[in-house]
Amino acid sequence: MQNQTSPLILSFGAADPAGAIGVQADLAVFSALSCNGLAVTTALLIGDSARVEDAQDIDPDWVSDQARVVLEDMSMAAFKVGALTNIEQVAAIAEILSDYPDAPLILDPFSSRLPDPADADEAEELLTALRQLLVPQATLLMLSQVELGRLAETWREGAEDTMESDVEHLLALGCEFVLVTGTQAGTPQGETAAPNTLANTLFGADGMISHDAWQHMPGPFLGAGGTLSAAITAFMARGADVPEAVTAAQEYTVGALAHAQRYGMGKFIPNRFFHLHQALPT
């Protein structure tokens, strides 16, 4: 018998029967990148590759107990937190993670696959709880430019702030890095990049660290963002620093999307094991 040597990662997220998002998708990425994943389920989904028909929240005490029992037995190299569905879950997970400040935390708190709270006040309270309790603990917060705007509405007071000032606000809360996806791509000379090109922009304490342009693929895809954040988590669990992990994870995600598969009648799902399939005999 051998002791566990591959990095262990604990992921908090929904259980998606299609495996497109949530903990099943995270575990696939972790495995593909030579890590071992463990999962704390925060919601049970009913859905296929096209849509989610219903979702059932897991009681916050069950969320907490799932994590505590595992963490009393094993040491984690990194944590990932996906989209959460209620304030009580946010508080429970934030309390747990506060006991493990030395392990990197990748926070990817938005998912277009999960329904937003029906009540607008409830939705704002959830975002406020994320900003106050989890963002300050995050090593890296990943969100799209649109999602950044939604989160910024919880602190803006009518002023039309810029993406850069919103990111600065999040960094001032204690988050070490912010990765904004789907930004407008530009060239080093400040010119607009080629059509159908988007960029992922990484910010740290000293400002913009990288601005990586990628050719937009038509898709439609289900789980592209979660694949990227899970890959970042895996590379960091293996010892990469944040800029290195972001670069490697983007390259991996581009490959997963280029080899995406349509399981049924819905959207394309990233092929997280594309590089392994290429090595198999035909």
Side-chain angles (χ1 to χ4, degrees), residues 75-119:
S75 297
M76 300 299 146
F79 295 93
K80 182 193 169 188
V81 175
L84 304 177
T85 55
N86 60 64
I87 295 174
E88 291 77 14
Q89 286 183 357
V90 174
I93 294 171
E95 182 179 358
I96 291 167
L97 295 178
S98 67
D99 293 334
Y100 303 92
D102 295 332
L105 165 62
I106 284 65
L107 178 60
D108 181 11
F110 290 90
S111 172
S112 59
R113 187 158 167 81
L114 292 178
D116 290 328
D119 184 87

Side-chain angles (χ1 to χ4, degrees), residues 9 11-12 21-22 25-26 29-30 33 78-83 105-110 140-143 179 181 200 223-237 245-246 249-250 252-253 272:
I9 303 171
S11 175
F12 296 81
I21 68 163
D26 288 346
V29 174
F30 300 157
L33 297 176
F79 295 93
K80 182 193 169 188
V81 175
L105 165 62
I106 284 65
L107 178 60
D108 181 11
F110 290 90
L140 180 140
L141 168 64
M142 190 186 101
L143 68 180
L179 178 64
T181 62
N200 298 327
T227 300
L228 176 59
S229 59
I232 294 171
T233 310
F235 284 115
M236 291 193 65
V246 168
Q250 289 177 121
Y252 166 82
T253 302
R272 284 104 181 179

Side-chain angles (χ1 to χ4, degrees), residues 22 37 44 58 61 89 119 126 128 145 185 234 277:
L44 301 175
I58 301 298
D61 288 339
Q89 286 183 357
D119 184 87
L126 177 59
T128 300
Q145 192 166 357
H277 294 164

Side-chain angles (χ1 to χ4, degrees), residues 132-155:
Q132 294 176 340
L133 300 178
L134 283 174
V135 169
Q137 299 189 55
T139 307
L140 180 140
L141 168 64
M142 190 186 101
L143 68 180
S144 72
Q145 192 166 357
V146 172
E147 293 161 352
L148 175 60
R150 289 174 56 191
L151 186 59
E153 290 175 359
T154 64
W155 72 75

Side-chain angles (χ1 to χ4, degrees), residues 27-28 34 63 70 75 96 101 130-131 143-144 165 189 205 207 252 263 268:
L27 298 188
S34 302
V63 172
V70 168
S75 297
I96 291 167
L130 284 165
R131 172 171 59 86
L143 68 180
S144 72
S165 64
Q189 293 76 28
Y252 166 82
Y263 295 170
F268 287 94

